[in-house]
Amino acid sequence: MHASHATANSQNSYPAKERADLSTEWISPLLLLLEVDPRHLYACWEVWPEDLAAIGAQKKDIFQNSQLTLRIIEGEEDNGRQQFGSYFDLPVEGWKNDWYIEVPRSDRLYFAELGLKSLASGEFYVIKRSNVVKTPKNTISSPQCQEKWMKVLGEYETVSLISSEELLAQRPSSKYPISQEMVEEYYRHLLSQHQPKKAAEITRLEGAPAGQYEAAQGKESREPEGLIPTEAAFSEAREQEGLSAPEWSSLASLSSLSSSSFGSSFVASDNLPSSLSSLELGDFFGSPISILSSAALSSYSRGDIRHSEKAASSRLEASFQYDLDLVIYGRTQPGVAIYIGEDAVPVHPDGSFSWRLNLGRQGKHWICLRAQLPQGGEVREFIPIWFQKIRTSGD
Amino acid sequence: MESRAYFCLILHAHLPFVRHPEQDECLEERWLFEAINESYLPLLQVLENLVEEGVDFRLTLSLSPTLMAMLVDPLLQERFIRYLDRLIELAEKEILRNRHHQELLPLSSLYHEKFLTNKRLFQQRYERNLLSAFSHFQTLGKLEIITCPATHGYLPLLKMNPSSVRAQIAVALDYYQKVFGQTSRGIWLPECGYYPGLDQLLRSFGLRFFFLDTHGLAYAHPRPKYLVYAPVYCPSGVAAFGRDQRSARQVWSAQEGYPADPDYREFYRDVGHDLDYEYIRPYLHQNLRVDTGIKYYRITGSGRHKDFYHPPKALARAREHARDCFRSHESYSLFLSRQMDRPPLFVAPYDAELFGHWWYEGPDWLNFLIREIAASGGSLRMITPSEYLERFPINQVVQPAASSWGWKGYNEMWLNSTNKWIYPPLFKAAQLMEFLAARFAGSNAEVRRALNQASRELLLAQGSDWAFIIHNKTCVQYAIRRTIAHLEQFNRICHQVLAGSIDTDWLESIERADNLFPDISFEVYQMDESEN
C-alpha cells in the first residue's frame, strides 16, 4: 500500500552552531506534516529529553518495550466535515528526525501521530498529533458534474450564482444551433413509439459510415438502396402526429455547449507535474488532444475518431477531434425529484436544475430524464436523443 | 468592437531584500542594480515610447514589496548611481581598448551610450524613484500594478501557521496602499503557489484575483469548461486566472523558447570573466570575477565557439519572434473562439527580470509584440485582469487544485533534502510570534518597537528565495546565512521581550539594516477565533 524511506538526517543539513541557536525548546514535542506533492508528505518531529522523561514516568510499561512509530491516518472531506478512517504505521528512529512518506492517494486528508507502539500488545501511545494536510489533486475531474456560474460585480456582496440556463440565454442563438439531425432523430423516436411502420420506412443511416449521411441528403445519392431522403417523410410524420410548434421548440432547451477541437501545440514545460504530460486539452473542449513536448503531431488516437490527412499536414491543425458536452436544464416545483439516468439531479430551492453530460462517442445517445413528484406521486419521463456523427470534407 | 481574443501579459518583478548597509559593497546588492539597469529601466523606456507614440496597450505588473522597499531606499539608490558610474568608466576604457577593433568598438560604444542613458533616466527623468515611474503608467490606465505577499513567502508551506499567511498578505497590502495611494485589486501568489482555502483569505482582504499554473485549473473541481482560456471563480468569488502553456513555452523553454535564438546575446560570456584580471579587477567585486553586464558575443550555438554579437540582427530576430508570437496566438484564438461563448483569454505571466537581464532583447520583443497586437485591428487585444472581470463578470465556479509553477508543479522545489531544515524553525518562530502578539498587545512603545522588528525578521526569514537558492545551488551560503540570521535576530528579540530587557542599541542596529515596512505592526500576528 505504501512505502517510505528515511532521508538524510536533518542534523547534517545545517551547521551545528546555528542549529542550536535556532532551537526553541518551548515547542516540544513537535510534529509537523507538509505536502510535497500528490503522493508524498514530509514529516519532521522533535521530542526533547524532558518530554521523554515525562512519558517514561507516565507509561513505563510501554516506554520500555516499544517502537517509536509514525502513524499516518487518511481521511476525506464530506460536505465540509473531515472524516478519517484507514491508517498505516511506520517504525521510525530518532527523537529528532524527518521522513518522506509515500501515501496511497492524492486529494486526501492526512494527519500523523508520533507515538510508542508496544511490541508486546501493539498498543499505541500518542506522543504528538500533527496538523492535517491534504495531498494535491492530480486528476482531471469527471465531466458529469453540475456546472455553476457566478456573477461578481462591484463589491463581493453582489456575488450571485446563476444557472446554466441563464448563461445559455446570453448566447447568440446562431452560435449553437440545434442541428437538423437532432430534430430528425427526435421524430424518429416518436414515430418508433407511435407509428412503428412509418418509422421503419424512414429508417436510415444506422451504422452507415460517416459521410454517407451527407451524400444521402445531397443531390447525388450514394446511399444504399432503401434509405430514403427524409424531409418529406418527416413533414408527413409531423402532420400525422399533430406535433405542434411548442414541441419543436422544446428541443431548443437542449443546447450543445461544446463541439470540436483542433490543435497540437499544447505543450508541457518542465514545471508541469508528470501527470500532466498526458493532459488532454480536449478533455476541456471536447475530445482529447495530447500535450506534446515538441511541435510534433498529436500522438493521440481514439477508435471512433477519424483523422484527416489534410489537417495533419498543417502545422497547427495537426489532428481533428471532436466531442460534445450537453447541459440539460429546467425548472420544476420544489420537492420534485429529478433523475438523469441513475443520477439524482440537485434541484435548487427555486425549482431550477441543470446537469452537464459529456457525450464522448459518436452515435446515438438516449438520455432518460425523469421527474418524480413528492410522496411517490406521478413519474414523468422525457427521453431526448442526441445524435452525433462525423463529417469530413473529403467524404 | 468586441475583440476576438484577449492577451493578458503579466510581468512579475521580484527580488529578495538585499540591503547591506553594514558593508561598503555587497555582491548581492548587484542583483538589484543589474535588474534596474538591464530590466526595469529598459521596460520603462518601452512603455514611455509606446505612450508617446499613442500605441494602445495593457500590461499587468506585480511588484513584490521587498523590491518596492529597495527601489525607494536612498542608500540603494545612491549605490546604484555608483554602480552605473563604474560601468560607464569601464565602457569608456573598453572604447579605448577596442578602438581598432571593427566588431567590438560599436558594441563598447553601445554599452557606453546605454549606461549614460540609464543614468540620465534614473536621476533626472525618474528622480531615482522607479515606483513613481511605474505608477504613472497605472494612472494612465495602461498598467495594472498588483502586489504579492510581503517577502515573497511561499504560502503552501507557511499555511501551518495561518497567521503567517495572513501577515504576508496584510503587510503587502498596507505597503501597497502607502506607496501607491490605492488598493491592489489582485495579488501574485509567489511561485503561483496555491492551496484550496487560500482564496477565502484573499477575499477577506478584498482581493479580486490571482494567478495559477495550468494544472491548478486542469485539476479543478468541477472540470473548468474553458480550461485556462477564461478565468474561473473560486467558491469564495475570487477569480483565478490560469497560465497558458503555449505562451509560457514560447518564452520560458530553454530549448524552443525565443531567448535561445543563436542571434541573441549570450548571457554567459561577460568581460568580467573574459578579460585580463588586472585590467578588469577595479570593476569586480572584492577581486572576485563577476558579471559586469558588458557582453560581446551572441549565443551562436551550443558549442564553446561564440561569434560577435550583432545588435541589428538580434533586433530583427526580436521583431520576427514578436510577430510569430502574435500570429500563433491569433491563429489559435480562431480555433478557441469557435468553442467558447466569449473571446478566449491568453494569460502569459513572466518574471520581469527575464526581459533585459537574462534575455537582453526581451524588452525589444515586448515592444514589437505590443505594437503587433495594437495594429491587429482587434483580432487580439491586450487586457488587464481587472478589465477582463469588468467585461466578463460571469464565470464558472470551480475549486482550483493545489499547485505551483515550480519544478514538478507542487512544493518540492521549496521542500527537499537541501532545504527542508528551514521549516521547523520557521514554524516555531511563527508560533512564538503568535504567542507574543497576544501577550503583548497594547504594550509600551519599547516593546512594540521590538516586536515590530521581530515581525520584520520573521517575514524576511520566510522569503521563498532562500529555499529556492539553496536548492538551485547558486548562492547557497548567502541564503543559509540570511535564513539563520533573521531567525537568530527574531529569537533574540523575543527572548529580550520575554525577559523584559531590550537592548535598544542592538535593536536600532538591526532596524537600520532590515528597514523595510516602516509602519508594520506586530498585532498582525494576532490570531482570530477561527485560527485558534
Side-chain angles (χ1 to χ4, degrees), chain B residues 7-129:
Chain B
F7 193 72
C8 179
L9 200 151
I10 305 108
L11 296 176
H12 172 51
H14 163 67
L15 285 175
F17 191 70
V18 282
R19 179 179 179 275
H20 292 276
E22 74 280 8
Q23 300 172 31
D24 185 44
E25 264 190 52
C26 171
L27 182 63
E28 286 73 21
E29 284 179 1
R30 293 173 72 103
W31 300 348
L32 173 69
F33 305 150
E34 287 170 5
I36 294 174
N37 189 36
E38 296 166 3
S39 293
Y40 307 148
L41 285 171
L43 177 62
L44 280 166
Q45 271 192 291
V46 167
L47 302 188
E48 286 233 22
N49 291 338
L50 290 169
V51 168
E52 216 167 85
E53 294 170 38
V55 179
D56 192 26
F57 70 92
R58 297 288 186 281
L59 281 179
T60 305
L61 176 69
S62 75
L63 284 169
S64 77
T66 48
L67 176 62
M68 287 165 64
M70 291 191 292
L71 288 177
V72 294
D73 185 87
L75 174 76
L76 292 172
Q77 290 168 346
E78 189 58 41
R79 287 184 175 184
F80 175 64
I81 297 292
R82 187 175 69 185
Y83 166 86
L84 267 185
D85 283 340
R86 290 174 66 183
L87 276 185
I88 291 165
E89 185 185 300
L90 174 60
E92 283 167 356
K93 277 178 69 171
E94 281 295 279
I95 289 172
L96 196 63
R97 186 179 71 88
N98 296 322
R99 62 189 178 279
H100 302 305
H101 197 300
Q102 200 178 344
E103 279 92 4
L104 290 185
L105 180 61
L107 290 173
S108 303
S109 302
L110 185 106
Y111 283 118
H112 184 245
E113 191 183 329
K114 182 177 175 176
F115 299 149
L116 283 173
T117 303
N118 278 356
K119 186 179 176 184
R120 181 178 49 76
L121 286 172
F122 187 74
Q123 280 201 300
Q124 293 163 24
R125 174 88 177 148
Y126 304 127
E127 297 174 334
R128 301 188 177 195
N129 189 339

Side-chain angles (χ1 to χ4, degrees), chain A residues 210 261-264 280 287-290 292 297-314 316-322 362 390-395:
Chain A
S261 292
F262 273 109
S264 66
E280 290 165 332
S287 290
I289 295 175
S290 298
L292 305 175
L297 298 179
S298 168
S299 59
Y300 150 80
S301 69
R302 206 163 98 179
D304 57 353
I305 302 287
R306 292 157 54 110
H307 290 264
S308 159
E309 287 182 12
K310 209 174 271 182
S313 66
S314 153
L316 178 66
E317 285 81 17
S319 61
F320 171 64
Q321 298 122 19
Y322 86 104
Q362 66 169 318
I390 298 285
R391 176 190 302 174
T392 51
S393 57
D395 291 322

Side-chain angles (χ1 to χ4, degrees), chain A residues 66-111:
Chain A
S66 61
Q67 166 70 53
L68 185 64
T69 299
L70 202 57
R71 175 163 288 180
I72 307 297
I73 302 100
E74 184 183 298
E76 281 187 271
E77 240 169 348
D78 185 17
N79 286 326
R81 285 176 53 206
Q82 297 184 341
Q83 294 181 324
F84 290 90
S86 61
Y87 66 87
F88 56 90
D89 289 340
L90 301 170
V92 294
E93 291 174 351
W95 296 103
K96 183 176 190 299
N97 208 343
D98 60 85
W99 275 48
Y100 288 107
I101 302 151
E102 185 176 339
V103 291
R105 274 171 281 273
S106 63
D107 200 25
R108 288 288 188 282
L109 299 171
Y110 290 95
F111 70 92

Side-chain angles (χ1 to χ4, degrees), chain A residues 154 156 175 265 271 283, chain B residues 207-208 213 223 246 339-340:
Chain A
Y156 279 112
K175 195 165 183 179
S265 45
N271 69 295
D283 282 343
Chain B
L207 288 160
R208 307 305 294 263
D213 203 354
R223 178 190 297 196
R246 291 166 51 87
Q339 323 304 321
M340 298 176 63

Side-chain angles (χ1 to χ4, degrees), chain A residues 169-313:
Chain A
Q170 300 183 10
R171 294 163 186 269
S173 57
S174 60
K175 195 165 183 179
Y176 300 96
I178 304 302
S179 73
Q180 183 64 26
E181 292 91 333
M182 276 175 58
V183 177
E184 290 172 358
E185 187 66 14
Y186 179 54
Y187 279 100
R188 190 174 301 113
H189 172 70
L190 292 178
L191 288 171
S192 68
Q193 288 190 325
H194 303 294
Q195 286 189 301
K197 193 178 169 187
K198 190 73 180 172
E201 204 178 306
I202 60 171
T203 294
R204 61 189 184 90
L205 289 179
E206 296 276 326
Q212 292 188 1
Y213 185 88
E214 289 73 36
Q217 299 203 100
K219 287 174 184 171
E220 294 178 19
S221 172
R222 288 186 284 130
E223 292 294 325
E225 281 186 15
L227 297 181
I228 305 164
T230 56
E231 187 51 40
F234 277 124
S235 299
E236 186 188 339
R238 279 198 290 274
E239 282 168 18
Q240 286 182 10
E241 283 296 300
L243 294 171
S244 58
E247 288 185 79
W248 273 89
S249 63
S250 70
L251 268 175
S253 64
L254 277 171
S255 301
S256 162
L257 290 186
S258 175
S259 55
S260 64
S261 292
F262 273 109
S264 66
S265 45
F266 199 71
V267 179
S269 58
D270 292 346
N271 69 295
L272 288 179
S274 56
S275 54
L276 255 190
S277 61
S278 60
L279 172 68
E280 290 165 332
L281 176 59
D283 282 343
F284 298 87
F285 290 103
S287 290
I289 295 175
S290 298
I291 292 178
L292 305 175
S293 57
S294 72
L297 298 179
S298 168
S299 59
Y300 150 80
S301 69
R302 206 163 98 179
D304 57 353
I305 302 287
R306 292 157 54 110
H307 290 264
S308 159
E309 287 182 12
K310 209 174 271 182
S313 66

